[in-house]
Amino acid sequence: MKSNNYDVVIIGAGPAGSVTARHLALKGYSVLLIEKRPQIGVPVRCGEATGRRSRLADFGPINEDAIETDIHGVVLYAQGGVSIKADINDVGLMVDRTKFDPWYAELAEQAGVEVMCSARATDIRAPHNNERVVCIEYQKEVFEISARMVVGSDGVEALTGRWTGLKTRHLPPKTCTGIELKLDVMDENPNHLTFWQGHDYINDGYIWSFPKVKSGTTNFGAGFITPKLGSMNVYEAADEWREKLYPGSKVLGVTGGAIPVSGCLEESVADHFLLVGDSAHHTNPLTGGGIASGMAGGLVAAEHIDRAFKAGDFSKQFLNSYEKGILSAFGDIHHRQMRMRDYILDKGADDQAKFFKMVKDFVDHGKINAFVKQPFYAVKTAWDLNKLK
């Protein structure tokens, strides 16, 4: 480390942490960004699907080398044999996280951020003299680094929030367990994200197939709400469905982990501290995707940390505006999506099939046709969905 004092220390160099760091450095602040692993972006522990190309441009220059696939639609195989295909231009991207994550850390470094790998935070001390001290283990030594603001961007396994007294634990009813298998095959819809959902497949989650066209591989996986003891584990479920859906396919790699699907944390700030990304449960609770929302959270975090510096106020009360900013950016949408998820999962097999049939009619033929085919059910569903807002 070049100094023992910075304006901001950010713990975790995933996309959310790097975006936060870069945009603070662009505002003129001294920023230290640390990553506990020796290489940023490794290991990969996500489906690697993210938002639209147009949205990605908001976070900085796009590295085309890190883009695997331009996604132009979604395919859903749903309960009751219903299949839905929606062609949507620029619906999202598939990326290579081993290139994607380092790129955003590099952009942060170019903006003036000091980036350090193999540097593990071991403690965050209580505020003293209007700053916090972060204890960092690096090359078998422990350094005490002070900062006016500390940002926890340390992912699903985050400890930083707990060190500052925030309730960040992942509770089983609101946590998804996922396993992903890298396959040597390409789906018949190589520019679409494909899902299988419902009682016929996995009801309390879904199966996915995300194509990486440049690499000629597919990220195939299964995820569901943390199961009860004695249930089939997620690896067995993923491999069983792999053989059913892509018989004879070869598994090139396996990754997995927990996915927060609780919606944003009720509290993600403390004095001189805030959380961003997966550590703040910024993950989309309907899809489990967290890259785009984490990066969007990074922009909001940088904006509100800048306000704190200008006001000279780093109190929890002042930083509460960050939480309001997150809700406005995507948090309120995430909470509605969580209610939508629970609404679909709570349906029985027959009612779920009826629901997906109506969705198919809507996608294929438009809203009026869907209403004409199932008028009473359409009205009831519209009423139910309106109550979820």
Side-chain angles (χ1 to χ4, degrees), residues 18 21-25 31-33 105 107-115:
S18 291
R22 176 175 183 261
H23 285 268
L24 284 169
V31 183
L32 173 65
L33 174 63
L107 290 177
E109 198 166 27
Q110 290 172 4
V113 175
E114 184 179 349
V115 181

Side-chain angles (χ1 to χ4, degrees), residues 10 66 87 97 134 156 176 234 263 286 301 308 341 367 370 373 376:
I10 298 176
D87 296 319
R97 290 289 297 269
V134 182
V156 176
C176 181
V234 69
L286 178 64
R341 176 199 70 202
K367 186 185 300 185
K373 286 194 172 185
F376 297 108

Side-chain angles (χ1 to χ4, degrees), residues 8 25 35 45 56 102 122 145 191 233 245 295-296 299 318 320 353 365 372:
V8 185
E35 170 57 48
R45 294 186 300 168
L56 195 61
T122 58
I145 308 298
N191 291 100
N233 69 57
L245 298 170
M295 296 172 82
L299 292 182
F318 186 87
N320 278 339
H365 306 293
V372 170

Side-chain angles (χ1 to χ4, degrees), residues 312-332:
D313 189 346
F314 302 90
S315 67
K316 177 179 179 179
Q317 182 177 8
F318 186 87
L319 291 170
N320 278 339
S321 64
Y322 163 69
E323 294 177 335
K324 295 176 183 177
I326 290 294
L327 289 175
S328 177
F330 56 80
D332 285 337

Side-chain angles (χ1 to χ4, degrees), residues 156 158 162 166-172 174-175 262 265 281:
V156 176
R162 299 185 202 178
L166 297 176
K167 296 179 181 179
T168 63
R169 294 186 182 276
H170 300 284
L171 302 177
K174 296 181 179 180
T175 305
S262 62
L265 288 177
H281 297 202

Side-chain angles (χ1 to χ4, degrees), residues 285-286 333-347 355 359 381 384-386 388-389:
L286 178 64
I333 295 173
H334 280 189
H335 286 297
R336 288 197 295 272
Q337 289 172 325
M338 183 169 62
R339 292 191 289 271
M340 167 69 82
R341 176 199 70 202
D342 294 341
Y343 172 77
I344 295 171
L345 300 190
D346 286 345
K347 290 181 175 293
F355 173 81
V359 173
T381 302
D384 290 341
L385 294 179
N386 187 61
L388 298 179
K389 295 182 179 179

Side-chain angles (χ1 to χ4, degrees), residues 14-275:
S18 291
V19 168
T20 307
R22 176 175 183 261
H23 285 268
L24 284 169
L26 290 173
K27 295 177 186 293
Y29 299 105
S30 61
V31 183
L32 173 65
L33 174 63
I34 65 170
E35 170 57 48
K36 67 182 179 182
R37 296 183 175 87
Q39 184 177 347
I40 294 172
V42 178
V44 175
R45 294 186 300 168
C46 85
E48 299 181 293
T50 189
R52 303 185 309 276
R53 178 181 285 273
S54 54
R55 178 59 171 137
L56 195 61
D58 294 339
F59 308 124
I62 295 174
N63 178 10
E64 291 297 334
D65 192 43
I67 306 300
E68 282 278 343
T69 315
D70 280 280
I71 300 298
H72 296 299
V74 176
V75 177
L76 173 64
Y77 296 100
Q79 179 64 26
V82 176
S83 62
I84 303 167
K85 184 176 182 181
D87 296 319
I88 310 167
N89 188 42
D90 189 28
V91 71
L93 297 168
M94 279 294 293
V95 301
D96 180 345
R97 290 289 297 269
T98 66
K99 298 176 181 178
F100 187 85
D101 290 24
W103 171 250
Y104 285 95
E106 182 181 334
L107 290 177
E109 198 166 27
Q110 290 172 4
V113 175
E114 184 179 349
V115 181
M116 293 189 64
C117 293
S118 299
R120 180 184 296 270
T122 58
D123 192 20
I124 300 174
R125 294 183 185 159
H128 179 68
N129 291 334
N130 206 29
E131 61 186 16
R132 283 186 183 267
V133 169
V134 182
C135 299
I136 300 173
E137 185 179 296
Y138 178 68
Q139 294 183 348
K140 299 183 179 179
E141 291 187 55
V142 176
F143 298 85
E144 296 183 353
I145 308 298
S146 60
R148 303 285 293 281
M149 270 298 299
V150 179
V151 176
S153 180
D154 43 339
V156 176
E157 69 273 25
L159 294 174
T160 54
R162 299 185 202 178
W163 292 339
T164 58
L166 297 176
K167 296 179 181 179
T168 63
R169 294 186 182 276
H170 300 284
L171 302 177
K174 296 181 179 180
T175 305
C176 181
T177 304
I179 285 288
E180 185 167 81
L181 311 176
K182 184 178 181 180
L183 305 183
D184 65 339
V185 298
M186 188 59 57
D187 190 80
E188 63 183 359
N189 296 291
N191 291 100
H192 289 61
L193 301 179
T194 302
F195 302 86
W196 292 260
Q197 201 285 320
H199 293 276
D200 288 342
Y201 305 103
I202 292 177
N203 186 54
D204 53 350
Y206 62 81
I207 303 160
W208 67 85
S209 177
F210 295 170
K212 299 180 74 172
V213 172
K214 279 186 183 177
S215 299
T217 60
T218 293
N219 287 351
F220 175 83
F224 44 74
I225 303 297
T226 303
K228 297 178 180 179
L229 290 174
S231 301
M232 176 184 288
N233 69 57
V234 69
Y235 176 81
E236 292 172 345
D239 199 49
E240 180 179 302
W241 280 106
R242 173 195 65 81
E243 190 56 40
K244 288 180 180 178
L245 298 170
Y246 299 102
S249 56
K250 183 179 179 182
V251 178
L252 304 176
V254 180
T255 187
I259 306 163
V261 288
S262 62
C264 299
L265 288 177
E266 290 185 9
E267 289 189 325
S268 58
V269 300
D271 293 341
H272 296 265
F273 180 82
L274 62 79
L275 292 167

